[in-house]
Amino acid sequence: MVGTVTAQPTAEPTAARLAAVALLAGRKLGGALLVIWGVVTFTFLVVRVVAPDPIGLLVPPGAGTEVRDAVRTELGLDGSIVSQYGIYLGHLARGDLGTSFGTNQPVSSDLLDRFPATLELAVPALIIGVVLGTGLGIVAALRRGRLADHAVRVVTVAALAMPPFWLGLMLLSLFFVSLGILPGPIGRLPAGVDPPPTVTGSYVLDALLAGDTQTAGLAAAQLVLPVAVLACGIFAPITRVARSGMVEALRSDYVRTATAYGFPHRRVLTAHALRNALLPVITMIANGVAFAFTGAVLVEGVFGWPGIGQYALVAVQQSDFPALQGFVLYAAVVYVVLYALVDLAYAAADPRTRS
């Protein structure tokens, strides 16, 4: 009697898949570290070659050579660029970003102290920009060639053409100087108003948690103009990409086939057209997040917003090498993490992109 041989499951395919995933993750991690190292190295060299000598900004004009040399030695700028670079990398490997020339505080502490202000500004701008940009892009595609489409395209082109700092100045001139209905560029709260007890880092939320609605209202009013400027810079490119992606999806064969089979129009739009149209929008959302958290330097400067962007602007003005290098490292990490998440989002939305 011949017995039946039952195939036993083998662990080799699973192990091979795990090895492939680990190899891919290792390559992405290695590429990310290489990008960050390149950005850090380039920034280190540029600020020392192009930026003004910080000693001239920190030492009084009448100070003698001995004083200038002593300050240069104290700041670690007395050695060659190669030796300074080696010391900087050594400190960076230990998580030490250096000490700011301007605040005399560790750069990491300065960035952490200012991050809640940037976060409070960025989150509402991102929510408004993403929702408005995606919605307007879809509406324009569905009304292609009609009045709504033309109106959205005009608004989008106008928003793209206006530099954020110029738009901020114009809004301040209109709503603060001329009309007087919104506060001026004085930071997160009006002068003389104490911040609420820190819980989340957001003045609006912390004031509401403390039951102080007056302070919450004042903090929210300070957010209106800078959030509007940031949201304008975020929604416009998202609108263009969402519209073009939706128009292309509506013309595709799979949408025509689904419509010919008699599927409900809403199902065709949501399950077929919208899913594929939003793939390129993912990248634009990542760009918007990066802009909100790292690229709003001039916006924070215009509105006197004490966030990381203003910290970087002051660092440029004062030739504060450690602060500037810390900001660039922070921005590089933000971009690397965001685009790694974009890769994952693409893979989740479209299995064809998985490697």
Side-chain angles (χ1 to χ4, degrees):
M1 180 176 180
V2 180
T4 303
V5 179
T6 304
Q8 297 296 324
T10 176
E12 291 182 2
T14 303
R17 285 195 297 269
L18 292 177
V21 170
L23 181 61
L24 179 61
R27 288 177 178 174
K28 288 186 177 295
L29 178 61
L33 293 177
L34 185 62
V35 169
I36 293 174
W37 172 80
V39 171
V40 166
T41 302
F42 179 76
T43 305
F44 181 91
L45 296 175
V46 167
V47 297
R48 279 160 176 76
V49 173
V50 177
D53 186 3
I55 304 302
L57 302 174
L58 299 175
V59 177
T65 306
E66 294 81 3
V67 176
R68 299 174 68 88
D69 291 342
V71 173
R72 190 179 300 276
T73 301
E74 182 182 355
L75 298 179
L77 301 176
D78 54 333
S80 65
I81 292 182
V82 175
S83 64
Q84 292 180 44
Y85 179 66
I87 294 172
Y88 173 67
L89 286 184
H91 289 170
L92 193 61
R94 298 193 298 269
D96 181 8
L97 302 182
T99 301
S100 168
F101 297 163
T103 65
N104 202 31
Q105 298 294 325
V107 173
S108 56
S109 298
D110 284 344
L111 294 175
L112 289 175
D113 290 342
R114 287 160 175 77
F115 182 74
T118 296
L119 184 65
E120 186 175 36
L121 191 61
V123 170
L126 280 169
I127 294 174
I128 295 172
V130 171
V131 173
L132 186 64
T134 306
L136 288 179
I138 294 173
V139 169
L142 295 177
R143 302 290 188 271
R144 183 170 178 266
R146 302 179 187 176
L147 179 61
D149 181 26
H150 294 308
V152 169
R153 294 172 69 180
V154 169
V155 171
T156 301
V157 171
L160 289 171
M162 293 184 292
F165 71 90
W166 180 86
L167 178 60
L169 292 174
M170 293 301 102
L171 292 179
L172 282 172
S173 177
L174 176 62
F175 292 101
F176 171 60
V177 178
S178 299
L179 301 179
I181 59 177
L182 287 175
I186 52 177
R188 303 177 72 183
L189 283 174
V193 178
D194 295 327
T198 301
V199 178
T200 65
S202 166
Y203 282 3
V204 175
L205 294 180
D206 289 347
L208 290 176
L209 291 175
D212 188 352
T213 56
Q214 182 178 4
T215 301
L218 293 173
Q222 294 293 141
L223 280 168
V224 172
L225 291 182
V227 165
V229 173
L230 275 183
C232 186
I234 293 170
F235 97 88
I238 292 178
T239 300
R240 291 189 64 181
V241 173
R243 179 190 177 279
S244 61
M246 193 66 178
V247 169
E248 184 179 351
L250 291 173
R251 291 174 172 176
S252 62
D253 293 335
Y254 53 84
V255 169
R256 293 175 180 175
T257 302
T259 304
Y261 273 112
F263 290 119
H265 183 63
R266 178 173 295 182
R267 181 181 175 185
V268 173
L269 290 179
T270 56
H272 299 280
L274 188 60
R275 180 184 179 94
N276 292 277
L278 292 183
L279 280 175
V281 176
I282 295 174
T283 302
M284 299 310 301
I285 292 175
N287 289 338
V289 174
F291 170 72
F293 281 95
T294 67
V297 175
L298 294 180
V299 174
E300 290 190 2
V302 167
F303 290 97
W305 197 262
I308 293 179
Q310 190 186 48
Y311 180 69
L313 184 62
V314 173
V316 172
Q317 295 170 343
Q318 298 180 349
S319 292
D320 191 342
F321 294 170
L324 186 57
Q325 291 166 182
F327 170 77
V328 173
L329 176 62
Y330 152 80
V333 171
V334 168
Y335 271 95
V336 166
V337 171
L338 280 175
Y339 283 101
L341 294 177
V342 166
D343 288 342
L344 295 176
Y346 264 97
D350 188 355
R352 296 172 299 178
T353 62
R354 298 173 188 172
S355 57

